[in-house]
Amino acid sequence: MADLFDEPTAGQNSPEFTVTELSGAIKRVIEGEFGHVRIRGEVGRVSRPRSGHVYLDLKDDRSVISGIIWKGVTARLETQPEEGMEVIATGRITTFAGQSKYQIVIEDIKPAGMGALMALLEKRKAALAAEGLFAPERKRPLPYLPEIIGVVTSPSGAVIRDILHRLRDRFPRKVLVWPVAVQGAKCAPEVARAIEGFNRLTPGGALPRPDLLIVARGGGSVEDLWGFNEEIVARAAAASQIPLISAVGHETDTTLIDFVSDKRAPTPTAAAELAVPVRHELAAWLEGQGARMRQALSQGLTRRGQRMRDVARALPRAETLLEGPRQRLDRGGEKLAPALIAGVQGRRVKLADMSGALRPATLRRHLDADRQRLAQLSARLDPAWQRNLAGQRERLGNRVARFRPDVLHRQITSRRERLTARAQNFRPEVLSRDITRQSQRLADVLARLARAGEAAQERRRRQIEALGRTLGTLGYRETLARGFAVVRGDGDVVTSASAAKAARELEIEFADGRLKLEGKTDTPPDQGSLL
């Protein structure tokens, strides 16, 4: 009985709740205070699982609240929520006991304008586009097979493993990884410093400069990828001298670095595929090209060989080539003796005509006429000589009067100096050097002339040998050796059946001998005898 009157200890009069009871009490309080509410905010992460429900975040610049749209409500909505939209959501606040958090069950959602983050993104995009950083002409082509690839990403995520695995499968290359934070406040400055750091490396140095850069990150919400929307990252990518591939987020994610990069990949794995070709495909292509080249070479040689054989068959026989020159030689030989006789006779006639003009009387008349003209000229010579001498004396007197002794002395001294200077050029040692130099040049010219003569002689010898071989190949005896035969009738070559029937005696020449047959006789044509 004493226990009934004992004072209770502190806290013993507080009711005890189970976790479920407490969660239910909180749920009733929240749902009772906030039956239906309208919330204005920006749509953040949006998730659409197979169940058909939609899970999303509503946020402003300081807070985030989770939201859910049930499958039945989703089908009735006029506007489907998308990340970055600013919306007005109507629903009721409730709690989710499984994670001890509250959320809004959205019953209706309508757009309220573009979100603050997306508005800021569009403003930056417009400013950078106005500067020409998105222009296609400033984008550089990617190297076909880079030796070194620089990767800017987190070293601990699955992205770097996917890139390395894909490169190893397609075409192994050297990879330099620059570790950076891929989200948060440190993301943008670290990514910008990584791009600038790779560009500052010296090509071929101890740490070589990459031939290609890949900036990669896995998927995420707009907030997670916001570091790649910063202006400092976009400008660093635009200023990069190394071709750059942007692989940020999944295929539907778009950031500012995607617009300024030289190539955008939908995923990091796709970036590795863009960076290098498939080694096996390249080897197969090279093998195919080699096979095509060998086939083309073989076909070309075959065509040229056939062409050469066709041309060889079209060449005339050696006998045909020599028939014309032989005939001209015979005609020239026939005309040579009469021409010599006619030439001698013509010269004899000319000699007789000239000897008739050389008679003594004629010569005496010519000598008398020449003596008379000489006497006339002698008579005129003495007065002319006297007049000429007088004129010379007069002109000499005038010249002597013009030249004073001091002037003559200076002229003589100047001419003596010029003569002395010229005499210096004719010293024996100078002349000896000139003679030696000219002799060396003459020897060089003679040596080159001798080499040129030997080369020309060798070239002519090879041409003659080639023509000889061609002549031997085209000769009719070589044709007989290939299975042909020459038919002669009465000493002439027979080329038709009618001529063979008309011949009295036929002769067939083979490569190893001749065979005579009887031709036209009193017996029928098919009873010829073999001789």
Side-chain angles (χ1 to χ4, degrees):
M1 296 298 295
D3 294 336
L4 295 177
F5 301 99
D6 289 341
E7 293 292 334
T9 58
Q12 285 185 352
N13 59 346
S14 299
E16 292 181 352
F17 297 96
T18 63
V19 175
T20 302
E21 291 173 347
L22 182 59
S23 298
I26 295 174
K27 180 180 180 68
R28 288 189 297 271
V29 171
I30 292 177
E31 290 180 353
E33 291 292 332
F34 303 95
H36 276 77
V37 295
R38 298 179 73 236
I39 301 177
R40 184 187 184 99
E42 181 182 340
V43 178
R45 176 189 59 86
V46 178
S47 177
R48 299 176 184 271
R50 294 183 179 179
S51 61
H53 309 313
V54 177
Y55 297 93
L56 53 85
D57 292 336
L58 294 176
K59 60 185 179 180
D60 54 16
D61 57 342
R62 289 180 293 180
S63 303
V64 177
I65 183 174
S66 299
I68 182 173
I69 307 175
W70 302 118
K71 179 179 179 180
V73 178
T74 303
R76 298 195 306 267
L77 292 179
E78 296 180 358
T79 302
Q80 295 295 326
E82 295 180 4
E83 189 171 355
M85 292 177 56
E86 188 172 359
V87 298
I88 298 176
T90 303
R92 54 187 178 83
I93 302 298
T94 184
T95 62
F96 179 53
Q99 293 184 355
S100 298
K101 68 177 184 179
Y102 63 93
Q103 59 187 9
I104 178 173
V105 178
I106 300 175
E107 298 173 354
D108 186 26
I109 188 169
K110 294 181 179 179
M114 185 176 296
L117 291 179
M118 299 305 295
L120 178 60
L121 177 60
E122 291 299 326
K123 183 178 179 181
R124 288 179 181 173
K125 185 189 299 185
L128 295 177
E131 295 181 16
L133 299 185
F134 300 165
E137 57 270 14
R138 61 168 300 277
K139 297 183 182 296
R140 293 172 295 275
L142 303 181
Y144 179 71
L145 186 59
E147 289 292 332
I148 301 173
I149 300 175
V151 180
V152 180
T153 188
S154 173
S156 59
V159 171
I160 187 61
R161 292 194 297 272
D162 293 342
I163 292 176
L164 295 177
H165 177 72
R166 198 59 177 162
L167 290 176
R168 185 166 55 251
D169 289 343
R170 290 174 65 87
F171 207 120
R173 298 281 87 186
K174 297 179 181 178
V175 178
L176 295 179
V177 180
W178 194 301
V180 296
V182 292
Q183 69 182 54
K186 296 181 179 179
C187 174
E190 289 187 2
V191 172
R193 283 196 299 268
I195 296 173
E196 295 171 356
F198 272 132
N199 279 270
R200 289 196 185 100
L201 294 178
T202 304
L207 187 61
R209 178 180 176 180
D211 303 313
L212 179 67
L213 293 183
I214 299 177
V215 179
R217 186 206 188 281
S221 62
V222 175
E223 294 80 8
D224 296 337
L225 303 179
W226 190 255
F228 298 93
N229 287 321
E230 295 293 345
E231 185 175 353
I232 184 175
V233 175
R235 293 192 180 278
S240 175
Q241 297 299 319
I242 305 173
L244 187 144
I245 299 177
S246 171
V248 177
H250 295 308
E251 188 170 359
T252 58
D253 297 326
T254 303
T255 56
L256 282 182
I257 194 173
D258 296 333
F259 295 98
V260 298
S261 61
D262 299 300
K263 195 74 174 179
R264 178 185 181 268
T267 60
T269 303
E273 294 176 356
L274 292 174
V276 294
V278 180
R279 179 171 54 184
H280 300 298
E281 294 179 357
L282 183 59
W285 180 83
L286 290 175
E287 182 64 26
Q289 294 299 315
R292 291 180 58 190
M293 184 172 63
R294 290 190 294 270
Q295 182 180 2
L297 180 60
S298 176
Q299 292 177 355
L301 292 176
T302 303
R303 288 196 301 269
R304 284 166 176 78
Q306 183 62 38
R307 178 63 178 167
M308 185 180 67
R309 289 190 291 271
D310 295 341
V311 172
R313 285 194 295 269
L315 289 175
R317 295 180 301 168
E319 294 180 353
T320 305
L321 294 174
L322 296 177
E323 285 176 356
R326 285 175 179 173
Q327 189 174 4
R328 289 195 298 272
L329 180 61
D330 293 339
R331 290 182 179 178
E334 293 174 356
K335 295 179 181 179
L336 181 60
L340 290 175
I341 294 173
V344 171
Q345 291 177 352
R347 284 168 175 77
R348 284 178 179 175
V349 172
K350 288 183 180 180
L351 181 61
D353 294 340
M354 294 181 67
S355 63
L358 297 177
R359 290 178 297 176
T362 304
L363 294 176
R364 289 191 189 96
R365 284 197 300 273
H366 285 301
L367 289 175
D368 292 340
D370 291 340
R371 287 193 186 99
Q372 186 176 0
R373 285 196 300 273
L374 181 61
Q376 293 175 357
L377 292 174
S378 299
R380 294 168 55 189
L381 179 62
D382 186 60
W385 171 258
Q386 294 296 332
R387 288 194 301 272
N388 188 16
L389 182 61
Q392 293 289 342
R393 285 176 179 174
E394 184 178 358
R395 287 193 296 272
L396 180 61
N398 294 333
R399 290 181 179 179
V400 170
R402 286 202 305 262
F403 293 106
R404 295 178 299 177
D406 53 346
V407 176
L408 292 175
H409 179 71
R410 285 196 301 271
Q411 291 179 351
I412 292 173
T413 302
S414 176
R415 290 181 179 179
R416 183 182 294 114
E417 291 176 354
R418 289 198 299 272
L419 182 61
T420 303
R422 290 183 179 180
Q424 294 295 326
N425 296 329
F426 294 96
R427 290 180 298 174
E429 57 272 15
V430 177
L431 294 176
S432 177
R433 286 196 301 270
D434 290 342
I435 291 172
T436 302
R437 185 169 58 256
Q438 296 297 333
S439 299
Q440 183 63 34
R441 292 179 59 186
L442 179 60
D444 294 340
V445 172
L446 292 176
R448 289 198 301 271
L449 183 61
R451 288 194 298 271
E454 292 176 358
Q457 185 177 3
E458 179 64 21
R459 186 166 57 256
R460 297 292 188 278
R461 183 183 64 78
R462 289 196 297 269
Q463 291 177 355
I464 292 173
E465 290 178 354
L467 292 175
R469 289 193 298 270
T470 304
L471 183 61
T473 304
L474 299 176
Y476 86 99
R477 294 192 180 277
E478 284 69 18
T479 306
L480 294 179
R482 292 196 293 271
F484 293 88
V486 179
V487 181
R488 294 183 175 87
D490 299 335
D492 296 329
V493 176
V494 176
T495 59
S496 63
S498 59
K501 292 178 181 180
R504 294 184 176 276
E505 186 179 61
L506 295 176
E507 182 184 58
I508 302 176
E509 181 179 359
F510 299 94
D512 57 349
R514 298 187 179 186
L515 180 64
K516 291 185 178 180
L517 300 173
E518 289 185 358
K520 184 177 181 182
T521 60
D522 296 336
T523 60
D526 58 350
Q527 297 180 0
S529 61
L530 180 63
L531 298 182

PDB file of all heavy atoms in Angstrom, residues 44 67 100 110 154 204 228 249 267 271 329 350 368 396 405 410 429 476 510:
ATOM      1  N   GLY A  44      13.667  20.777 -59.422  1.00  0.00           N
ATOM      2  CA  GLY A  44      15.039  20.297 -59.439  1.00  0.00           C
ATOM      3  C   GLY A  44      15.113  18.911 -60.048  1.00  0.00           C
ATOM      4  O   GLY A  44      14.729  18.687 -61.192  1.00  0.00           O
ATOM      5  N   GLY A  67       8.766  16.174 -53.480  1.00  0.00           N
ATOM      6  CA  GLY A  67       7.397  16.075 -53.949  1.00  0.00           C
ATOM      7  C   GLY A  67       7.175  14.774 -54.675  1.00  0.00           C
ATOM      8  O   GLY A  67       8.118  14.144 -55.180  1.00  0.00           O
ATOM      9  N   SER A 100      11.638   9.428 -42.302  1.00  0.00           N
ATOM     10  CA  SER A 100      11.490  10.550 -41.369  1.00  0.00           C
ATOM     11  C   SER A 100      11.600  11.890 -42.071  1.00  0.00           C
ATOM     12  O   SER A 100      12.387  12.763 -41.689  1.00  0.00           O
ATOM     13  CB  SER A 100      12.543  10.453 -40.255  1.00  0.00           C
ATOM     14  OG  SER A 100      12.369   9.260 -39.512  1.00  0.00           O
ATOM     15  N   LYS A 110       1.391  23.678 -62.405  1.00  0.00           N
ATOM     16  CA  LYS A 110       1.317  24.572 -63.551  1.00  0.00           C
ATOM     17  C   LYS A 110       2.612  25.376 -63.624  1.00  0.00           C
ATOM     18  O   LYS A 110       3.210  25.697 -62.615  1.00  0.00           O
ATOM     19  CB  LYS A 110       0.125  25.518 -63.422  1.00  0.00           C
ATOM     20  CG  LYS A 110      -1.232  24.811 -63.482  1.00  0.00           C
ATOM     21  CD  LYS A 110      -2.353  25.813 -63.377  1.00  0.00           C
ATOM     22  CE  LYS A 110      -3.694  25.105 -63.465  1.00  0.00           C
ATOM     23  NZ  LYS A 110      -4.832  26.050 -63.345  1.00  0.00           N
ATOM     24  N   SER A 154      36.823  13.262 -61.789  1.00  0.00           N
ATOM     25  CA  SER A 154      37.078  12.772 -60.432  1.00  0.00           C
ATOM     26  C   SER A 154      37.824  11.436 -60.507  1.00  0.00           C
ATOM     27  O   SER A 154      37.431  10.549 -61.282  1.00  0.00           O
ATOM     28  CB  SER A 154      35.754  12.582 -59.691  1.00  0.00           C
ATOM     29  OG  SER A 154      35.976  11.957 -58.447  1.00  0.00           O
ATOM     30  N   GLY A 204      56.516  17.085 -75.488  1.00  0.00           N
ATOM     31  CA  GLY A 204      57.732  16.296 -75.443  1.00  0.00           C
ATOM     32  C   GLY A 204      58.542  16.467 -74.184  1.00  0.00           C
ATOM     33  O   GLY A 204      59.692  16.005 -74.114  1.00  0.00           O
ATOM     34  N   PHE A 228      29.821  23.168 -64.266  1.00  0.00           N
ATOM     35  CA  PHE A 228      30.224  23.201 -65.673  1.00  0.00           C
ATOM     36  C   PHE A 228      29.461  24.255 -66.453  1.00  0.00           C
ATOM     37  O   PHE A 228      29.676  24.407 -67.647  1.00  0.00           O
ATOM     38  CB  PHE A 228      30.011  21.826 -66.308  1.00  0.00           C
ATOM     39  CG  PHE A 228      30.844  20.752 -65.670  1.00  0.00           C
ATOM     40  CD1 PHE A 228      30.326  19.982 -64.624  1.00  0.00           C
ATOM     41  CD2 PHE A 228      32.148  20.535 -66.075  1.00  0.00           C
ATOM     42  CE1 PHE A 228      31.092  18.999 -64.030  1.00  0.00           C
ATOM     43  CE2 PHE A 228      32.908  19.558 -65.481  1.00  0.00           C
ATOM     44  CZ  PHE A 228      32.391  18.786 -64.446  1.00  0.00           C
ATOM     45  N   GLY A 249      27.580  14.716 -67.915  1.00  0.00           N
ATOM     46  CA  GLY A 249      26.206  14.265 -67.743  1.00  0.00           C
ATOM     47  C   GLY A 249      25.839  13.187 -68.731  1.00  0.00           C
ATOM     48  O   GLY A 249      26.678  12.604 -69.430  1.00  0.00           O
ATOM     49  N   THR A 267      27.999  10.770 -73.525  1.00  0.00           N
ATOM     50  CA  THR A 267      28.404  10.102 -72.282  1.00  0.00           C
ATOM     51  C   THR A 267      29.926  10.035 -72.235  1.00  0.00           C
ATOM     52  O   THR A 267      30.593  10.163 -73.268  1.00  0.00           O
ATOM     53  CB  THR A 267      27.830   8.676 -72.216  1.00  0.00           C
ATOM     54  OG1 THR A 267      28.334   7.927 -73.329  1.00  0.00           O
ATOM     55  CG2 THR A 267      26.304   8.690 -72.245  1.00  0.00           C
ATOM     56  N   ALA A 271      32.764   9.598 -75.281  1.00  0.00           N
ATOM     57  CA  ALA A 271      33.941  10.457 -75.454  1.00  0.00           C
ATOM     58  C   ALA A 271      35.170   9.617 -75.754  1.00  0.00           C
ATOM     59  O   ALA A 271      36.000   9.973 -76.613  1.00  0.00           O
ATOM     60  CB  ALA A 271      34.158  11.303 -74.208  1.00  0.00           C
ATOM     61  N   LEU A 329      69.187   1.413-151.613  1.00  0.00           N
ATOM     62  CA  LEU A 329      70.626   1.187-151.768  1.00  0.00           C
ATOM     63  C   LEU A 329      70.948   0.622-153.141  1.00  0.00           C
ATOM     64  O   LEU A 329      71.933   1.034-153.785  1.00  0.00           O
ATOM     65  CB  LEU A 329      71.091   0.228-150.662  1.00  0.00           C
ATOM     66  CG  LEU A 329      72.583  -0.129-150.671  1.00  0.00           C
ATOM     67  CD1 LEU A 329      73.436   1.126-150.477  1.00  0.00           C
ATOM     68  CD2 LEU A 329      72.897  -1.153-149.595  1.00  0.00           C
ATOM     69  N   LYS A 350      84.794  21.633-168.791  1.00  0.00           N
ATOM     70  CA  LYS A 350      85.127  22.905-168.134  1.00  0.00           C
ATOM     71  C   LYS A 350      86.608  23.201-168.224  1.00  0.00           C
ATOM     72  O   LYS A 350      87.017  24.336-168.441  1.00  0.00           O
ATOM     73  CB  LYS A 350      84.686  22.859-166.664  1.00  0.00           C
ATOM     74  CG  LYS A 350      83.190  22.919-166.472  1.00  0.00           C
ATOM     75  CD  LYS A 350      82.855  22.938-164.979  1.00  0.00           C
ATOM     76  CE  LYS A 350      81.355  23.002-164.765  1.00  0.00           C
ATOM     77  NZ  LYS A 350      81.003  23.032-163.318  1.00  0.00           N
ATOM     78  N   ASP A 368      99.940  43.722-171.029  1.00  0.00           N
ATOM     79  CA  ASP A 368     100.147  45.075-171.572  1.00  0.00           C
ATOM     80  C   ASP A 368      99.127  46.055-170.993  1.00  0.00           C
ATOM     81  O   ASP A 368      99.459  47.198-170.643  1.00  0.00           O
ATOM     82  CB  ASP A 368     100.041  45.038-173.105  1.00  0.00           C
ATOM     83  CG  ASP A 368     101.201  44.266-173.751  1.00  0.00           C
ATOM     84  OD1 ASP A 368     102.256  44.118-173.058  1.00  0.00           O
ATOM     85  OD2 ASP A 368     101.032  43.782-174.871  1.00  0.00           O
ATOM     86  N   LEU A 396     100.702  68.538-138.544  1.00  0.00           N
ATOM     87  CA  LEU A 396     101.649  68.266-137.467  1.00  0.00           C
ATOM     88  C   LEU A 396     102.133  69.559-136.834  1.00  0.00           C
ATOM     89  O   LEU A 396     102.282  69.653-135.605  1.00  0.00           O
ATOM     90  CB  LEU A 396     102.813  67.436-138.009  1.00  0.00           C
ATOM     91  CG  LEU A 396     103.892  67.062-136.996  1.00  0.00           C
ATOM     92  CD1 LEU A 396     103.292  66.206-135.879  1.00  0.00           C
ATOM     93  CD2 LEU A 396     105.026  66.301-137.676  1.00  0.00           C
ATOM     94  N   PRO A 405     105.430  72.054-123.547  1.00  0.00           N
ATOM     95  CA  PRO A 405     106.304  70.994-122.980  1.00  0.00           C
ATOM     96  C   PRO A 405     105.795  70.473-121.640  1.00  0.00           C
ATOM     97  O   PRO A 405     105.882  69.272-121.376  1.00  0.00           O
ATOM     98  CB  PRO A 405     107.651  71.707-122.842  1.00  0.00           C
ATOM     99  CG  PRO A 405     107.623  72.791-123.885  1.00  0.00           C
ATOM    100  CD  PRO A 405     106.204  73.257-123.950  1.00  0.00           C
ATOM    101  N   ARG A 410     103.338  65.971-118.516  1.00  0.00           N
ATOM    102  CA  ARG A 410     102.317  65.349-117.669  1.00  0.00           C
ATOM    103  C   ARG A 410     101.650  64.156-118.377  1.00  0.00           C
ATOM    104  O   ARG A 410     101.383  63.127-117.767  1.00  0.00           O
ATOM    105  CB  ARG A 410     101.252  66.401-117.294  1.00  0.00           C
ATOM    106  CG  ARG A 410     101.713  67.388-116.243  1.00  0.00           C
ATOM    107  CD  ARG A 410     100.542  68.130-115.638  1.00  0.00           C
ATOM    108  NE  ARG A 410      99.776  68.865-116.626  1.00  0.00           N
ATOM    109  CZ  ARG A 410     100.025  70.129-117.001  1.00  0.00           C
ATOM    110  NH1 ARG A 410     101.048  70.803-116.461  1.00  0.00           N
ATOM    111  NH2 ARG A 410      99.276  70.723-117.901  1.00  0.00           N
ATOM    112  N   GLU A 429     104.160  35.230-112.168  1.00  0.00           N
ATOM    113  CA  GLU A 429     103.397  34.425-111.217  1.00  0.00           C
ATOM    114  C   GLU A 429     101.893  34.544-111.459  1.00  0.00           C
ATOM    115  O   GLU A 429     101.143  33.568-111.320  1.00  0.00           O
ATOM    116  CB  GLU A 429     103.731  34.828-109.783  1.00  0.00           C
ATOM    117  CG  GLU A 429     103.492  36.305-109.441  1.00  0.00           C
ATOM    118  CD  GLU A 429     104.712  37.174-109.758  1.00  0.00           C
ATOM    119  OE1 GLU A 429     105.598  36.676-110.500  1.00  0.00           O
ATOM    120  OE2 GLU A 429     104.780  38.305-109.281  1.00  0.00           O
ATOM    121  N   TYR A 476      61.101 -14.207-138.519  1.00  0.00           N
ATOM    122  CA  TYR A 476      60.150 -15.262-138.899  1.00  0.00           C
ATOM    123  C   TYR A 476      60.607 -16.621-138.394  1.00  0.00           C
ATOM    124  O   TYR A 476      59.780 -17.524-138.195  1.00  0.00           O
ATOM    125  CB  TYR A 476      59.958 -15.249-140.416  1.00  0.00           C
ATOM    126  CG  TYR A 476      60.996 -16.061-141.208  1.00  0.00           C
ATOM    127  CD1 TYR A 476      60.684 -17.359-141.646  1.00  0.00           C
ATOM    128  CD2 TYR A 476      62.245 -15.543-141.498  1.00  0.00           C
ATOM    129  CE1 TYR A 476      61.610 -18.086-142.355  1.00  0.00           C
ATOM    130  CE2 TYR A 476      63.164 -16.270-142.201  1.00  0.00           C
ATOM    131  CZ  TYR A 476      62.854 -17.559-142.638  1.00  0.00           C
ATOM    132  OH  TYR A 476      63.760 -18.294-143.319  1.00  0.00           O
ATOM    133  N   PHE A 510      59.507 -25.668-141.919  1.00  0.00           N
ATOM    134  CA  PHE A 510      59.268 -25.722-140.488  1.00  0.00           C
ATOM    135  C   PHE A 510      60.502 -25.201-139.758  1.00  0.00           C
ATOM    136  O   PHE A 510      61.505 -24.848-140.395  1.00  0.00           O
ATOM    137  CB  PHE A 510      58.944 -27.148-140.031  1.00  0.00           C
ATOM    138  CG  PHE A 510      57.697 -27.715-140.668  1.00  0.00           C
ATOM    139  CD1 PHE A 510      57.759 -28.482-141.810  1.00  0.00           C
ATOM    140  CD2 PHE A 510      56.453 -27.417-140.120  1.00  0.00           C
ATOM    141  CE1 PHE A 510      56.610 -28.975-142.393  1.00  0.00           C
ATOM    142  CE2 PHE A 510      55.310 -27.918-140.693  1.00  0.00           C
ATOM    143  CZ  PHE A 510      55.366 -28.694-141.839  1.00  0.00           C
TER     144      PHE A 510
END
